[in-house]
Amino acid sequence: MGILSSSVSITRYRVEGELEKPVTETITAALKKNAVSEIDENPSEVSAGWTSSFSPYQPDFEGASFVFGTHLLFSLRIDKKSIPAKTVQKYAAMETAKKLKSAGRTHLSKNEKQMIRDHVVNILSLRIPATPNLYDVLWNYEEGTLWFFSNLKAANETLESLFSKTFKLTLIRLFPYTAARLVSGLSHSELDALDKLTPAKFTE
């Protein structure tokens, strides 16, 4: 989902940790190192990495093109190949029939069937192009805040894992409790009171 879409979903994060200075050079190098890789011509089924929000299919982080003052705008791209189960079943059945005929046998072992299925999946993965999914990231590195333009569980989990790997920083998702504790400016007594709160049940 993009920042300029007519409707957006946003997950807010707090960024914990320190970046080496100069900050923009450190971030640029990290983005380049962990840029998304193409998987259309290899058997990999999933690829996740960073890309440019303005040229997502040709990652370009040159010239700090993603830097706007203290804000950084780039994208998480997740490429995934989806092979229909019935397609795998069809080609696996065809390969099984060939093997039975060539070997003069009437059945295959469980391991042989699995090997045939894995072979079929690898071959089909080379033929089927990956479907890209794009999610914009807006990061204010001075304030330690980040907006991720998706609420999808899998996308958020990929973001948190890749962000930690790339920048050696921790993302803390902001929901009401964490927002109150980390960014609301509560006093020590108010934080103590917050820690003592317990869930309330609402019934009709």
Coordinates of all heavy atoms in Angstrom, one line a residue, residues 63-144:
G63 N 22.1 9.2 -4.3 CA 21.8 10.7 -4.2 C 20.8 11.0 -3.1 O 20.2 12.1 -3.2
A64 N 20.6 10.1 -2.2 CA 19.7 10.4 -1.1 C 18.3 10.8 -1.6 O 17.7 11.7 -1.1 CB 20.2 11.5 -0.1
S65 N 17.9 10.1 -2.7 CA 16.6 10.5 -3.3 C 15.4 10.2 -2.4 O 14.3 10.6 -2.7 CB 16.4 9.7 -4.6 OG 16.5 8.3 -4.4
F66 N 15.6 9.5 -1.3 CA 14.5 9.1 -0.4 C 14.6 9.9 0.9 O 13.8 9.7 1.8 CB 14.7 7.6 0.0 CG 16.0 7.3 0.6 CD1 16.1 7.2 2.0 CD2 17.1 7.1 -0.1 CE1 17.3 7.0 2.6 CE2 18.4 6.8 0.5 CZ 18.4 6.7 1.9
V67 N 15.4 10.9 0.9 CA 15.6 11.7 2.1 C 14.8 13.1 2.0 O 15.0 13.8 1.0 CB 17.1 12.0 2.4 CG1 17.2 12.9 3.7 CG2 17.8 10.7 2.6
F68 N 14.0 13.4 2.9 CA 13.2 14.6 2.9 C 13.4 15.3 4.3 O 12.6 15.0 5.2 CB 11.8 14.4 2.6 CG 11.5 13.7 1.3 CD1 11.5 12.3 1.2 CD2 11.4 14.5 0.1 CE1 11.3 11.7 -0.1 CE2 11.2 13.9 -1.1 CZ 11.2 12.5 -1.2
G69 N 14.5 16.1 4.5 CA 14.7 16.6 5.8 C 15.1 15.5 6.7 O 16.1 14.7 6.5
T70 N 14.4 15.4 7.8 CA 14.7 14.3 8.8 C 13.8 13.1 8.5 O 13.8 12.1 9.3 CB 14.4 14.8 10.2 OG1 13.1 15.2 10.4 CG2 15.3 15.9 10.6
H71 N 13.0 13.1 7.4 CA 12.1 12.0 7.1 C 12.8 11.2 5.9 O 13.4 11.7 5.0 CB 10.7 12.5 6.7 CG 9.9 13.0 7.8 ND1 10.1 14.2 8.3 CD2 8.9 12.4 8.5 CE1 9.2 14.4 9.3 NE2 8.5 13.3 9.4
L72 N 12.6 9.9 6.0 CA 13.0 9.0 5.0 C 11.8 8.2 4.4 O 11.0 7.7 5.2 CB 14.0 7.9 5.6 CG 15.2 8.5 6.4 CD1 15.9 7.4 7.1 CD2 16.1 9.3 5.5
L73 N 11.7 8.2 3.1 CA 10.6 7.5 2.4 C 11.1 6.5 1.5 O 11.8 6.8 0.5 CB 9.7 8.5 1.7 CG 8.5 7.9 0.9 CD1 7.5 7.2 1.8 CD2 7.9 9.0 0.0
F74 N 10.8 5.2 1.8 CA 11.2 4.1 0.9 C 10.1 3.0 1.1 O 9.1 3.2 1.8 CB 12.6 3.6 1.3 CG 12.8 3.3 2.7 CD1 12.6 2.0 3.2 CD2 13.2 4.3 3.6 CE1 12.9 1.7 4.6 CE2 13.5 4.0 5.0 CZ 13.3 2.7 5.4
S75 N 10.3 1.9 0.5 CA 9.3 0.8 0.5 C 9.8 -0.5 0.8 O 11.0 -0.8 0.5 CB 8.6 0.8 -0.9 OG 7.9 2.0 -1.2
L76 N 9.0 -1.3 1.4 CA 9.2 -2.7 1.6 C 8.6 -3.5 0.4 O 7.4 -3.2 0.2 CB 8.7 -3.2 2.9 CG 8.6 -4.8 3.1 CD1 10.0 -5.3 3.2 CD2 7.8 -5.1 4.4
R77 N 9.3 -4.3 -0.3 CA 8.7 -5.0 -1.4 C 8.8 -6.5 -1.1 O 9.9 -7.0 -0.7 CB 9.4 -4.7 -2.7 CG 8.8 -5.4 -3.9 CD 9.5 -4.9 -5.2 NE 9.8 -6.1 -6.0 CZ 10.7 -6.0 -7.0 NH1 11.2 -4.9 -7.4 NH2 11.0 -7.1 -7.7
I78 N 7.7 -7.2 -1.1 CA 7.7 -8.6 -0.9 C 7.2 -9.3 -2.2 O 6.0 -9.1 -2.6 CB 6.7 -9.0 0.3 CG1 7.2 -8.3 1.5 CG2 6.7 -10.5 0.5 CD1 6.2 -8.5 2.7
D79 N 8.1 -10.0 -2.8 CA 7.7 -10.8 -4.0 C 7.4 -12.2 -3.7 O 8.2 -12.9 -2.9 CB 8.9 -10.8 -5.0 CG 9.1 -9.4 -5.6 OD1 8.4 -8.4 -5.2 OD2 9.9 -9.2 -6.5
K80 N 6.3 -12.7 -4.2 CA 5.9 -14.1 -3.8 C 5.3 -14.8 -5.1 O 4.6 -14.2 -5.8 CB 4.8 -14.1 -2.7 CG 4.4 -15.4 -2.2 CD 3.5 -15.3 -1.0 CE 3.1 -16.7 -0.4 NZ 2.2 -16.6 0.7
K81 N 5.8 -16.0 -5.2 CA 5.2 -16.9 -6.3 C 4.1 -17.8 -5.7 O 4.3 -18.4 -4.6 CB 6.3 -17.8 -6.9 CG 7.4 -17.0 -7.6 CD 8.5 -17.9 -8.1 CE 9.6 -17.1 -8.8 NZ 10.7 -18.0 -9.2
S82 N 3.1 -17.8 -6.4 CA 1.9 -18.6 -6.0 C 1.6 -19.6 -7.0 O 1.1 -19.3 -8.1 CB 0.7 -17.7 -5.7 OG -0.4 -18.5 -5.2
I83 N 1.9 -20.9 -6.8 CA 1.6 -22.0 -7.7 C 0.3 -22.7 -7.3 O 0.3 -23.2 -6.2 CB 2.8 -23.0 -7.8 CG1 4.1 -22.2 -8.0 CG2 2.5 -24.0 -8.8 CD1 5.3 -23.1 -7.9
P84 N -0.7 -22.7 -8.1 CA -2.0 -23.4 -7.7 C -1.7 -24.8 -7.4 O -1.0 -25.5 -8.1 CB -2.8 -23.2 -9.0 CG -2.3 -22.0 -9.7 CD -0.8 -22.0 -9.4
A85 N -2.3 -25.3 -6.3 CA -2.2 -26.7 -5.9 C -2.5 -27.7 -7.0 O -1.9 -28.7 -7.2 CB -3.0 -26.9 -4.6
K86 N -3.6 -27.4 -7.7 CA -4.0 -28.3 -8.8 C -3.0 -28.4 -9.9 O -2.9 -29.4 -10.6 CB -5.4 -27.8 -9.3 CG -6.5 -28.1 -8.3 CD -7.9 -27.7 -8.9 CE -9.0 -28.0 -7.9 NZ -10.3 -27.6 -8.5
T87 N -2.3 -27.3 -10.2 CA -1.2 -27.3 -11.2 C -0.1 -28.2 -10.7 O 0.4 -29.0 -11.5 CB -0.7 -25.9 -11.4 OG1 -1.7 -25.0 -11.9 CG2 0.4 -25.9 -12.5
V88 N 0.3 -28.1 -9.5 CA 1.3 -29.0 -8.9 C 0.9 -30.4 -9.0 O 1.6 -31.3 -9.4 CB 1.7 -28.6 -7.5 CG1 2.6 -29.6 -6.9 CG2 2.3 -27.2 -7.4
Q89 N -0.4 -30.7 -8.7 CA -1.0 -32.0 -8.7 C -0.9 -32.6 -10.1 O -0.6 -33.8 -10.3 CB -2.4 -32.0 -8.2 CG -3.1 -33.4 -8.1 CD -4.5 -33.2 -7.5 OE1 -5.0 -32.2 -7.4 NE2 -5.1 -34.4 -7.3
K90 N -1.3 -31.8 -11.1 CA -1.3 -32.2 -12.5 C 0.1 -32.7 -12.9 O 0.3 -33.8 -13.5 CB -1.8 -31.1 -13.4 CG -1.6 -31.4 -14.9 CD -2.0 -30.1 -15.7 CE -1.7 -30.3 -17.2 NZ -2.0 -29.1 -18.0
Y91 N 1.1 -31.8 -12.8 CA 2.4 -32.1 -13.3 C 3.1 -33.2 -12.4 O 3.9 -34.0 -13.0 CB 3.3 -30.9 -13.3 CG 2.9 -30.0 -14.4 CD1 2.1 -28.9 -14.3 CD2 3.5 -30.2 -15.7 CE1 1.7 -28.1 -15.3 CE2 3.2 -29.4 -16.8 CZ 2.3 -28.3 -16.6 OH 1.9 -27.5 -17.7
A92 N 2.8 -33.3 -11.2 CA 3.3 -34.4 -10.3 C 2.7 -35.7 -10.8 O 3.5 -36.8 -10.9 CB 3.0 -34.2 -8.9
A93 N 1.5 -35.8 -11.2 CA 0.8 -37.0 -11.7 C 1.5 -37.4 -13.0 O 1.7 -38.6 -13.2 CB -0.7 -36.8 -11.8
M94 N 1.7 -36.4 -13.8 CA 2.4 -36.7 -15.1 C 3.8 -37.3 -14.9 O 4.2 -38.3 -15.6 CB 2.4 -35.5 -16.0 CG 1.0 -35.0 -16.4 SD 1.1 -33.3 -17.1 CE 2.1 -33.6 -18.6
E95 N 4.6 -36.7 -14.0 CA 5.9 -37.2 -13.8 C 5.9 -38.6 -13.1 O 6.7 -39.4 -13.4 CB 6.6 -36.2 -12.9 CG 7.0 -34.9 -13.6 CD 7.9 -35.1 -14.7 OE1 8.9 -35.9 -14.6 OE2 7.7 -34.5 -15.8
T96 N 4.9 -38.8 -12.2 CA 4.8 -40.1 -11.6 C 4.5 -41.2 -12.6 O 5.1 -42.3 -12.6 CB 3.7 -40.1 -10.5 OG1 4.0 -39.1 -9.5 CG2 3.5 -41.4 -9.9
A97 N 3.6 -40.9 -13.5 CA 3.3 -41.9 -14.6 C 4.5 -42.2 -15.4 O 4.7 -43.4 -15.8 CB 2.1 -41.3 -15.5
K98 N 5.3 -41.2 -15.8 CA 6.5 -41.4 -16.6 C 7.5 -42.3 -15.8 O 8.1 -43.3 -16.4 CB 7.2 -40.1 -16.9 CG 6.4 -39.2 -17.9 CD 7.2 -37.9 -18.1 CE 6.5 -37.0 -19.1 NZ 7.2 -35.7 -19.3
K99 N 7.7 -42.0 -14.5 CA 8.6 -42.8 -13.7 C 8.1 -44.3 -13.6 O 9.0 -45.2 -13.7 CB 8.8 -42.2 -12.4 CG 9.9 -42.8 -11.5 CD 10.2 -42.0 -10.3 CE 11.3 -42.6 -9.5 NZ 12.6 -42.6 -10.2
L100 N 6.9 -44.5 -13.3 CA 6.3 -45.8 -13.2 C 6.5 -46.6 -14.5 O 6.9 -47.8 -14.5 CB 4.8 -45.8 -12.8 CG 4.5 -45.3 -11.4 CD1 3.0 -45.1 -11.2 CD2 5.0 -46.3 -10.4
K101 N 6.3 -45.9 -15.6 CA 6.4 -46.6 -16.9 C 7.8 -47.0 -17.2 O 8.1 -48.1 -17.6 CB 5.8 -45.7 -18.0 CG 5.8 -46.4 -19.4 CD 5.2 -45.5 -20.4 CE 5.2 -46.1 -21.8 NZ 4.6 -45.3 -22.8
S102 N 8.7 -46.0 -17.0 CA 10.1 -46.3 -17.3 C 10.7 -47.4 -16.4 O 11.6 -48.1 -16.8 CB 11.0 -45.0 -17.2 OG 11.0 -44.5 -15.8
A103 N 10.2 -47.4 -15.1 CA 10.8 -48.4 -14.2 C 10.0 -49.7 -14.2 O 10.4 -50.7 -13.5 CB 10.7 -47.8 -12.7
G104 N 8.9 -49.8 -14.9 CA 8.1 -51.0 -14.9 C 7.5 -51.4 -13.6 O 7.4 -52.5 -13.2
R105 N 7.0 -50.3 -12.9 CA 6.5 -50.6 -11.5 C 5.1 -50.1 -11.5 O 4.5 -49.4 -12.4 CB 7.3 -49.8 -10.5 CG 8.8 -50.3 -10.4 CD 9.7 -49.3 -9.7 NE 9.3 -49.0 -8.4 CZ 9.8 -48.0 -7.7 NH1 10.8 -47.3 -8.2 NH2 9.4 -47.8 -6.4
T106 N 4.4 -50.5 -10.4 CA 3.0 -50.1 -10.2 C 2.7 -49.0 -9.2 O 1.7 -48.5 -9.1 CB 2.1 -51.3 -9.9 OG1 2.6 -51.9 -8.6 CG2 2.2 -52.4 -11.0
H107 N 3.8 -48.8 -8.3 CA 3.6 -47.8 -7.3 C 5.0 -47.2 -6.9 O 6.0 -47.9 -7.1 CB 2.9 -48.3 -6.1 CG 3.7 -49.3 -5.3 ND1 3.7 -50.7 -5.7 CD2 4.4 -49.2 -4.2 CE1 4.5 -51.3 -4.8 NE2 4.9 -50.5 -3.9
L108 N 5.0 -46.1 -6.2 CA 6.2 -45.4 -5.8 C 6.1 -45.3 -4.2 O 5.1 -45.2 -3.7 CB 6.4 -44.0 -6.4 CG 6.5 -43.9 -7.9 CD1 6.5 -42.5 -8.3 CD2 7.7 -44.7 -8.4
S109 N 7.3 -45.2 -3.7 CA 7.4 -45.0 -2.2 C 7.0 -43.5 -1.9 O 7.0 -42.7 -2.7 CB 8.8 -45.3 -1.7 OG 9.7 -44.3 -2.2
K110 N 6.7 -43.3 -0.6 CA 6.4 -42.0 -0.1 C 7.5 -41.0 -0.4 O 7.3 -39.8 -0.8 CB 6.1 -42.0 1.4 CG 5.7 -40.7 2.0 CD 5.3 -40.8 3.4 CE 4.9 -39.5 4.0 NZ 4.6 -39.6 5.5
N111 N 8.7 -41.4 -0.2 CA 9.9 -40.5 -0.4 C 10.0 -40.2 -1.9 O 10.3 -39.0 -2.3 CB 11.2 -41.2 0.1 CG 11.3 -41.1 1.6 OD1 10.6 -40.3 2.2 ND2 12.1 -42.0 2.1
E112 N 9.8 -41.2 -2.8 CA 9.9 -40.9 -4.2 C 8.8 -39.9 -4.7 O 9.0 -39.0 -5.5 CB 9.7 -42.2 -5.0 CG 10.9 -43.1 -4.9 CD 10.7 -44.5 -5.5 OE1 9.6 -45.1 -5.3 OE2 11.6 -45.0 -6.2
K113 N 7.6 -40.1 -4.1 CA 6.5 -39.1 -4.5 C 6.8 -37.7 -4.0 O 6.6 -36.8 -4.7 CB 5.2 -39.6 -3.8 CG 4.6 -40.9 -4.4 CD 3.3 -41.3 -3.7 CE 2.8 -42.6 -4.2 NZ 1.6 -43.0 -3.5
Q114 N 7.4 -37.6 -2.8 CA 7.8 -36.3 -2.3 C 8.9 -35.7 -3.2 O 8.9 -34.5 -3.5 CB 8.3 -36.4 -0.9 CG 8.6 -35.0 -0.2 CD 7.4 -34.1 -0.2 OE1 6.3 -34.6 0.3 NE2 7.5 -32.9 -0.6
M115 N 9.9 -36.5 -3.6 CA 10.9 -36.0 -4.5 C 10.4 -35.5 -5.8 O 10.8 -34.5 -6.3 CB 12.0 -37.1 -4.7 CG 12.8 -37.4 -3.5 SD 14.0 -38.8 -3.8 CE 15.0 -38.1 -5.1
I116 N 9.4 -36.2 -6.4 CA 8.8 -35.8 -7.6 C 8.0 -34.5 -7.4 O 8.1 -33.5 -8.2 CB 7.8 -36.9 -8.1 CG1 8.6 -38.1 -8.7 CG2 6.9 -36.3 -9.2 CD1 7.8 -39.2 -9.1
R117 N 7.3 -34.3 -6.3 CA 6.6 -33.1 -6.0 C 7.5 -31.9 -5.9 O 7.3 -30.9 -6.4 CB 5.7 -33.3 -4.8 CG 4.8 -32.1 -4.5 CD 4.1 -32.2 -3.2 NE 3.2 -31.1 -3.0 CZ 3.6 -29.8 -2.7 NH1 4.8 -29.6 -2.5 NH2 2.7 -28.9 -2.6
D118 N 8.6 -32.1 -5.1 CA 9.6 -31.0 -5.0 C 10.2 -30.6 -6.3 O 10.4 -29.4 -6.5 CB 10.7 -31.5 -4.0 CG 10.2 -31.7 -2.6 OD1 9.1 -31.2 -2.3 OD2 10.9 -32.3 -1.8
H119 N 10.5 -31.6 -7.1 CA 11.1 -31.3 -8.4 C 10.1 -30.5 -9.3 O 10.5 -29.5 -9.9 CB 11.4 -32.6 -9.2 CG 11.9 -32.4 -10.6 ND1 13.1 -31.9 -10.9 CD2 11.3 -32.7 -11.8 CE1 13.2 -31.8 -12.2 NE2 12.1 -32.3 -12.7
V120 N 8.8 -30.9 -9.2 CA 7.8 -30.2 -10.0 C 7.7 -28.7 -9.5 O 7.6 -27.8 -10.3 CB 6.4 -30.9 -9.9 CG1 5.3 -30.0 -10.4 CG2 6.5 -32.2 -10.7
V121 N 7.7 -28.5 -8.2 CA 7.5 -27.2 -7.6 C 8.7 -26.3 -8.1 O 8.6 -25.2 -8.4 CB 7.4 -27.3 -6.1 CG1 7.6 -25.9 -5.5 CG2 6.1 -27.9 -5.7
N122 N 9.9 -26.9 -8.0 CA 11.1 -26.1 -8.5 C 11.1 -25.8 -9.9 O 11.4 -24.6 -10.3 CB 12.4 -27.0 -8.2 CG 12.8 -27.0 -6.7 OD1 12.4 -26.2 -6.0 ND2 13.5 -28.0 -6.3
I123 N 10.6 -26.7 -10.8 CA 10.5 -26.4 -12.2 C 9.5 -25.3 -12.5 O 9.7 -24.3 -13.2 CB 10.2 -27.7 -13.0 CG1 11.3 -28.7 -12.9 CG2 9.9 -27.3 -14.4 CD1 12.6 -28.2 -13.5
L124 N 8.3 -25.4 -11.8 CA 7.3 -24.4 -12.0 C 7.7 -23.1 -11.5 O 7.3 -22.0 -12.0 CB 6.0 -24.9 -11.3 CG 5.3 -26.1 -12.0 CD1 4.1 -26.5 -11.2 CD2 4.9 -25.8 -13.4
S125 N 8.5 -23.1 -10.4 CA 8.9 -21.8 -9.8 C 9.8 -21.0 -10.7 O 9.9 -19.8 -10.7 CB 9.6 -22.1 -8.5 OG 8.8 -22.5 -7.5
L126 N 10.5 -21.7 -11.6 CA 11.3 -21.1 -12.6 C 10.5 -20.4 -13.7 O 11.0 -19.5 -14.4 CB 12.3 -22.1 -13.2 CG 13.4 -22.6 -12.3 CD1 14.2 -23.7 -13.0 CD2 14.4 -21.5 -11.9
R127 N 9.3 -21.0 -13.9 CA 8.5 -20.5 -15.1 C 7.5 -19.4 -14.6 O 7.1 -18.5 -15.4 CB 7.7 -21.7 -15.6 CG 8.5 -22.8 -16.2 CD 7.6 -23.9 -16.6 NE 8.4 -25.1 -17.1 CZ 7.8 -26.3 -17.4 NH1 6.5 -26.4 -17.3 NH2 8.6 -27.3 -17.8
I128 N 7.1 -19.4 -13.4 CA 6.0 -18.5 -12.9 C 6.7 -17.2 -12.3 O 7.5 -17.3 -11.4 CB 5.1 -19.2 -11.8 CG1 4.4 -20.3 -12.5 CG2 4.2 -18.2 -11.2 CD1 3.5 -21.1 -11.5
P129 N 6.3 -16.1 -12.8 CA 6.8 -14.8 -12.3 C 6.3 -14.5 -10.9 O 5.2 -14.9 -10.6 CB 6.4 -13.8 -13.3 CG 5.1 -14.3 -13.9 CD 5.4 -15.8 -14.0
A130 N 7.1 -13.8 -10.1 CA 6.6 -13.5 -8.8 C 5.7 -12.3 -8.8 O 5.8 -11.4 -9.7 CB 7.9 -13.2 -7.9
T131 N 4.8 -12.3 -7.9 CA 3.8 -11.1 -7.7 C 4.4 -10.2 -6.7 O 4.6 -10.6 -5.5 CB 2.4 -11.6 -7.3 OG1 1.9 -12.5 -8.3 CG2 1.5 -10.4 -7.2
P132 N 4.7 -8.9 -7.1 CA 5.2 -8.0 -6.1 C 4.1 -7.3 -5.3 O 3.1 -7.0 -5.8 CB 6.0 -7.0 -7.0 CG 5.2 -6.9 -8.2 CD 4.6 -8.3 -8.4
N133 N 4.4 -7.1 -4.0 CA 3.6 -6.3 -3.1 C 4.4 -5.2 -2.5 O 5.5 -5.5 -1.9 CB 3.0 -7.2 -2.0 CG 2.0 -8.2 -2.6 OD1 0.9 -7.9 -2.9 ND2 2.4 -9.5 -2.7
L134 N 3.9 -4.0 -2.5 CA 4.6 -2.8 -2.1 C 4.0 -2.2 -0.9 O 2.8 -2.0 -0.8 CB 4.8 -1.8 -3.2 CG 5.5 -2.3 -4.4 CD1 5.3 -1.3 -5.6 CD2 7.0 -2.4 -4.1
Y135 N 4.8 -1.8 0.1 CA 4.3 -1.2 1.3 C 5.3 0.0 1.7 O 6.5 -0.2 1.9 CB 4.3 -2.2 2.5 CG 3.5 -3.4 2.2 CD1 4.2 -4.6 1.8 CD2 2.2 -3.5 2.3 CE1 3.6 -5.8 1.5 CE2 1.5 -4.7 2.0 CZ 2.2 -5.8 1.6 OH 1.5 -7.0 1.3
D136 N 4.8 1.2 1.7 CA 5.6 2.4 2.0 C 6.0 2.5 3.4 O 5.2 2.1 4.3 CB 4.9 3.6 1.5 CG 5.0 3.9 0.0 OD1 5.9 3.3 -0.6 OD2 4.3 4.7 -0.5
V137 N 7.2 3.0 3.7 CA 7.7 3.2 5.0 C 8.1 4.7 5.1 O 8.9 5.2 4.3 CB 9.0 2.4 5.3 CG1 9.6 2.7 6.6 CG2 8.7 0.9 5.1
L138 N 7.6 5.4 6.1 CA 7.9 6.8 6.4 C 8.6 6.9 7.8 O 7.9 6.6 8.8 CB 6.7 7.7 6.3 CG 6.9 9.2 6.5 CD1 7.8 9.7 5.4 CD2 5.6 10.0 6.5
W139 N 9.9 7.2 7.8 CA 10.7 7.1 9.0 C 11.2 8.5 9.4 O 12.0 9.1 8.6 CB 11.8 6.1 8.8 CG 12.7 5.9 9.9 CD1 12.6 6.3 11.2 CD2 14.0 5.2 9.9 NE1 13.7 5.9 12.0 CE2 14.6 5.2 11.2 CE3 14.6 4.5 8.8 CZ2 15.8 4.6 11.4 CZ3 15.8 3.9 9.1 CH2 16.4 4.0 10.4
N140 N 10.9 9.0 10.5 CA 11.5 10.2 11.1 C 12.7 9.8 12.0 O 12.4 9.4 13.1 CB 10.5 11.1 11.8 CG 11.1 12.4 12.3 OD1 12.3 12.5 12.6 ND2 10.3 13.4 12.3
Y141 N 13.9 9.8 11.5 CA 15.0 9.2 12.3 C 15.4 10.0 13.5 O 15.9 9.5 14.5 CB 16.2 8.9 11.4 CG 16.9 10.1 10.8 CD1 17.8 10.8 11.5 CD2 16.6 10.5 9.5 CE1 18.4 11.9 10.9 CE2 17.2 11.6 8.9 CZ 18.1 12.3 9.6 OH 18.7 13.4 9.0
E142 N 15.1 11.3 13.5 CA 15.4 12.2 14.6 C 14.5 11.9 15.8 O 14.9 11.9 16.9 CB 15.5 13.6 14.2 CG 16.7 14.1 13.5 CD 16.9 15.6 13.5 OE1 16.0 16.3 14.0 OE2 18.0 16.0 13.1
E143 N 13.2 11.8 15.5 CA 12.2 11.6 16.5 C 12.0 10.1 16.9 O 11.4 9.8 17.9 CB 10.8 12.2 16.1 CG 10.8 13.7 15.9 CD 9.5 14.2 15.6 OE1 8.5 13.4 15.4 OE2 9.3 15.4 15.4
G144 N 12.6 9.2 16.1 CA 12.5 7.8 16.4 C 11.1 7.3 16.1 O 10.6 6.4 16.9

